[in-house]
């Protein structure tokens, strides 16, 4: 029995990883097709037509057994060596992925065959044999939940409950809610996601709960002594502590074992494997029959996934659902990705001062759903109250975060300070008023948009539009008058 037969039985998505990962551009332009004897339905091909007149060479590899290479010209020893090296590399990846799949039998776990993923698998397995708290660092969308659940379900607690608590959503009676959840799962695992969203008072309450747990103190709100704590955050705790935004004693309680998750763009080698898993395990009808054209797969591998795995998962489900045939082509992918790009591509749009504020002003909140929870709350509150005399402290209070941490997150995610966003929203409001009602006085528009000082309004407006308010207003008044003259003019 060869390696494939020994390790891949029962792991459906592995059946076509070879065909997805190897592509002819990596093996040489003269190689058209590779057929593996272990499964005649799965193969790699550059041309989908017949193979008449194409040279073929039968080879064998200790990991995958026999296979046949179809090429447009006789293979050199260098070509054969290149193929064998690639298969050897894949064999190592298969073994790691299979070992990982055998340990993690739940539905939500990290997928990947790259060296980075294999390192994470190793950290997960080592963390699973310990009861020490684990802290998972990673940007939004980097599968922190998958890693946390993998640690739990590969540990001795796998038959006990695993519960996630999103710290950005808890507002009142934080310690009571945590205690009630902890009591319901006893010796299971409590996953505290987005702990960097906790307010100072919530951090202190959590610290008290953890201290009582460690000391065996039983109170009305207490954690079971046998409860496993895993937490995650999107920001670096060391920076938050430095800015006095996170309790250093709480950080010491949570940060025993640390796992840093990379962005999807840093492990592109995993993308074909992840896609195959999505097609087979996301309830897509006929997912096992869907193939992806080589050019389409290359495009997916090179695409900038600013929303990380969350964006990839959503996009592949949409692409597969609306596909025109069982072979997904480049046209299918581009149309879907372009529609979703605005939701996730804010990194690129940081260079465009208009687009982000435009989304906030028009309440297009779906564009920001991949961002930190507190940033989303701040964006919603800003869109509704920017005309009022708002302060950073007020916004931070409604976002359940400290002012300095909110400032950091706004700069990191939107490349703007609170004051910049506030001013740009007011300017956007003034521009809309001038476009819709050019007859309005400048003074009235200034007050209606949130500017109490006319002189400051005029200077700020010109800074952002290169026009004075009166010039902008007259420009749009002329456009309206010109349109009306055209409409009312008699036909020649």
């Amino acid at each position: 029995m060869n390696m494939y037969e020994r390790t891949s039985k029962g792991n459906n998505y592995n059946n076509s990883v070879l065909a997805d990962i190897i592509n002819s551009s990596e093996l040489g332009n003269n190689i058209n097709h590779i057929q593996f004897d272990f499964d005649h339905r799965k193969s790699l091909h550059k041309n989908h037509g017949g193979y008449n007149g194409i040279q073929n060479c039968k080879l064998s590899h200790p990991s995958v057994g026999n296979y046949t290479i179809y090429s447009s010209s006789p293979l050199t020893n260098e070509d054969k060596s290149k193929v064998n090296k690639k298969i050897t590399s894949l064999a190592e990846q298969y073994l790691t992925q299979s070992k990982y799949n055998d340990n993690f039998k739940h539905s939500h776990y990290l997928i990947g065959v790259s060296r980075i993923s294999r390192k994470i698998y190793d950290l997960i397995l080592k963390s699973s044999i310990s009861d020490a708290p684990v802290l998972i660092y990673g940007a939004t969308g980097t599968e922190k939940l998958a890693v946390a659940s993998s640690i739990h379900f590969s540990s001795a607690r796998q038959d006990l409950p695993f519960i996630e608590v999103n710290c950005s959503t808890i507002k009142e009676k934080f310690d009571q809610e945590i205690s009630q959840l902890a009591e319901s799962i006893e010796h299971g695992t409590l996953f505290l996601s987005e702990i960097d969203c906790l307010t100072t008072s919530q951090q202190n309450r959590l610290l008290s709960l953890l201290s009582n747990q460690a000391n065996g103190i039983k109170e009305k709100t207490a954690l079971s002594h046998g409860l496993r704590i895993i937490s995650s955050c999107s920001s670096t705790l060391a920076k938050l502590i430095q800015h006095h935004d996170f309790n250093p004693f709480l950080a010491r309680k949570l940060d025993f074992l640390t796992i840093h998750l990379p962005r999807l763009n840093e492990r592109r080698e995993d993308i074909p494997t992840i896609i195959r898993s999505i097609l087979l395990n996301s309830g897509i009808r006929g997912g096992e029959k869907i193939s992806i054209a080589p050019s389409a797969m290359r495009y997916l591998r090179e695409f900038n996934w600013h929303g990380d795995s969350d964006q990839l998962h959503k996009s592949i489900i949409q692409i597969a659902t609306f596909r025109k045939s069982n072979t997904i082509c480049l046209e299918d992918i581009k149309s879907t990705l372009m529609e979703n790009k605005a939701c996730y591509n804010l990194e690129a749009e940081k260079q465009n001062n208009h687009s982000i504020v435009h989304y906030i002003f028009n309440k297009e909140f779906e564009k920001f759903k991949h961002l930190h929870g507190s940033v989303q709350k701040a964006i919603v509150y800003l869109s509704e109250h920017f005309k009022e005399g708002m302060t950073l402290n007020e916004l931070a209070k409604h976002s359940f975060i400290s002012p300095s941490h909110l400032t950091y997150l706004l700069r990191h995610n939107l490349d703007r300070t609170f004051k910049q966003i506030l001013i740009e929203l007011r300017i956007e409001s003034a521009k809309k008023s001038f476009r819709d009602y050019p007859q309005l006085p400048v003074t009235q528009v200034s007050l209606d948009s949130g500017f109490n000082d006319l002189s400051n309004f005029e200077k700020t407006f010109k800074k952002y539009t290169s026009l004075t308010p009166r010039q902008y207003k007259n420009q749009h008044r002329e456009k309206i008058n010109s349109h009306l003259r055209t409409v009312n003019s008699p036909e020649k």
Side-chain angles (χ1 to χ4, degrees):
M1 180 180 290
N2 61 44
M3 179 280 300
Y4 183 89
E5 294 168 332
R6 185 173 64 252
T7 64
S8 296
K9 275 192 173 181
N11 299 323
N12 291 332
Y13 80 96
N14 265 346
N15 289 347
S16 52
V17 172
L18 279 174
D20 286 341
I21 293 181
I22 307 177
N23 65 67
S24 54
S25 65
E26 292 176 331
L27 300 176
N29 293 329
N30 65 320
I31 295 178
N32 295 72
H33 174 79
I34 297 179
Q35 178 71 60
F36 296 95
D37 288 2
F38 55 69
D39 189 345
H40 290 288
R41 296 167 300 169
K42 306 296 180 186
S43 59
L44 166 75
H45 46 88
K46 181 178 178 182
N47 301 314
H48 290 277
Y51 301 105
N52 293 332
I54 294 178
Q55 300 280 336
N56 66 78
C57 175
K58 292 185 178 294
L59 296 172
S60 180
H61 190 282
S63 294
V64 297
N66 299 325
Y67 62 96
T68 303
I69 300 177
Y70 295 85
S71 59
S72 54
S73 59
L75 292 177
T76 64
N77 289 333
E78 183 180 353
D79 292 330
K80 297 175 185 178
S81 175
K82 189 179 292 186
V83 172
N84 267 307
K85 284 182 180 178
K86 185 64 180 178
I87 291 177
T88 299
S89 172
L90 287 172
E92 181 184 349
Q93 295 171 4
Y94 270 132
L95 289 170
T96 303
Q97 185 70 56
S98 177
K99 179 182 176 183
Y100 180 64
N101 294 345
D102 289 341
N103 280 281
F104 309 130
K105 303 184 186 304
H106 60 293
S107 60
H108 196 92
Y109 58 85
L110 189 72
I111 299 293
V113 294
S114 66
R115 183 172 297 179
I116 294 176
S117 293
R118 297 201 297 273
K119 184 178 179 180
I120 295 172
Y121 300 158
D122 187 52
L123 292 173
I124 289 172
L125 291 172
K126 288 178 179 177
S127 299
S128 69
I129 61 176
S130 170
D131 289 329
V134 180
L135 178 59
I136 304 168
Y137 284 102
T140 303
T142 51
E143 300 182 285
K144 295 187 285 273
L145 174 59
V147 172
S149 59
S150 293
I151 293 172
H152 171 80
F153 286 105
S154 59
S155 72
R157 304 170 189 267
Q158 59 184 272
D159 296 324
L160 297 173
F162 171 88
I163 291 183
E164 178 194 15
V165 176
N166 190 323
C167 294
S168 66
T169 63
I170 301 179
K171 299 179 180 180
E172 299 177 357
K173 298 181 179 179
F174 173 79
D175 50 345
Q176 291 183 25
E177 186 168 341
I178 294 293
S179 296
Q180 289 170 2
L181 287 171
E183 184 179 353
S184 69
I185 63 177
E186 294 186 347
H187 296 339
T189 299
L190 183 64
F191 175 43
L192 302 173
S193 65
E194 308 303 335
I195 58 168
D196 43 339
C197 289
L198 293 173
T199 63
T200 301
S201 61
Q202 289 174 335
Q203 292 174 31
N204 293 336
R205 291 173 191 170
L206 179 58
L207 175 61
S208 177
L209 289 174
L210 294 174
S211 298
N212 291 342
Q213 179 197 36
N215 297 324
I217 299 173
K218 294 185 178 181
E219 293 186 354
K220 188 175 181 180
T221 56
L223 303 182
S224 166
H225 187 67
L227 182 70
R228 176 79 184 271
I229 300 291
I230 300 177
S231 55
S232 74
C233 59
S234 303
S235 307
T236 305
L237 291 191
K239 288 185 178 180
L240 297 182
I241 292 170
Q242 185 179 1
H243 290 92
H244 307 289
D245 291 326
F246 202 86
N247 190 314
F249 298 103
L250 177 59
R252 292 173 195 169
K253 291 284 186 184
L254 298 174
D255 193 0
F256 275 72
L257 307 175
T258 307
I259 298 178
H260 292 270
L261 298 184
R263 306 296 296 262
L264 185 59
N265 289 338
E266 297 174 41
R267 54 185 190 103
R268 295 184 185 277
E269 191 178 348
D270 291 335
I271 289 175
T273 315
I274 296 171
I275 291 172
R276 179 57 53 190
S277 177
I278 294 170
L279 292 175
L280 288 167
N281 300 310
S282 297
I284 301 169
R285 292 187 64 182
E288 72 282 354
K289 299 177 182 178
I290 299 174
S291 62
I292 301 178
S295 59
M297 183 60 78
R298 283 195 294 273
Y299 186 87
L300 289 168
R301 286 184 62 166
E302 296 305 316
F303 188 78
N304 280 325
W305 299 101
H306 293 299
D308 286 280
S309 298
D310 286 354
Q311 183 188 7
L312 175 61
H313 192 273
K314 177 182 177 181
S315 299
I316 294 303
I317 289 178
Q318 291 180 336
I319 291 167
T321 301
F322 299 113
R323 70 189 187 278
K324 296 176 182 177
S325 69
N326 276 345
T327 299
I328 294 173
C329 63
L330 195 56
E331 181 184 352
D332 298 325
I333 290 172
K334 284 186 174 181
S335 60
T336 299
L337 290 182
M338 289 306 104
E339 289 175 5
N340 293 335
K341 191 174 182 180
C343 295
Y344 298 95
N345 203 17
L346 289 179
E347 289 293 325
E349 290 184 351
K350 284 180 181 179
Q351 306 303 319
N352 185 339
N353 284 335
H354 173 72
S355 58
I356 291 177
V357 172
H358 177 80
Y359 294 149
I360 299 174
F361 183 77
N362 289 293
K363 295 181 169 56
E364 297 180 43
F365 302 133
E366 72 277 3
K367 309 293 186 184
F368 306 98
K369 63 184 178 181
H370 63 293
L371 297 182
H372 193 286
S374 292
V375 175
Q376 294 184 54
K377 288 183 176 68
I379 286 171
V380 172
Y381 192 81
L382 274 166
S383 72
E384 296 172 346
H385 302 279
F386 67 87
K387 295 180 182 180
E388 303 168 10
M390 188 191 307
T391 64
L392 176 61
N393 287 340
E394 177 188 347
L395 181 62
K397 181 180 178 181
H398 283 86
S399 305
F400 303 101
I401 199 170
S402 71
S404 55
H405 190 193
L406 179 60
T407 298
Y408 166 77
L409 289 175
L410 290 175
R411 283 178 174 169
H412 178 73
N413 289 286
L414 304 180
D415 202 30
R416 286 165 173 75
T417 63
F418 156 71
K419 188 175 180 180
Q420 284 176 311
I421 298 172
L422 192 65
I423 290 173
E424 289 181 47
L425 284 171
R426 290 173 177 174
I427 294 296
E428 193 70 23
S429 175
K431 287 163 59 180
K432 187 177 188 302
S433 295
F434 285 137
R435 289 195 301 269
D436 295 346
Y437 308 101
Q439 74 278 8
L440 288 176
V442 172
T443 305
Q444 183 179 337
V445 172
S446 171
L447 292 171
D448 290 346
S449 301
F451 290 93
N452 295 322
D453 185 294
L454 179 61
S455 176
N456 179 47
F457 169 64
E458 290 177 332
K459 291 177 182 178
T460 306
F461 192 93
K462 186 173 184 179
K463 175 183 176 182
Y464 281 92
T465 66
S466 300
L467 296 171
T468 66
R470 192 162 278 99
Q471 288 172 330
Y472 189 91
K473 165 184 165 179
N474 291 338
Q475 188 180 80
H476 285 275
R477 176 188 287 169
E478 179 57 32
K479 285 182 180 179
I480 292 174
N481 292 337
S482 176
H483 174 71
L484 291 174
R485 286 194 296 270
T486 302
V487 171
N488 296 328
S489 63
E491 294 184 4
K492 295 183 178 180

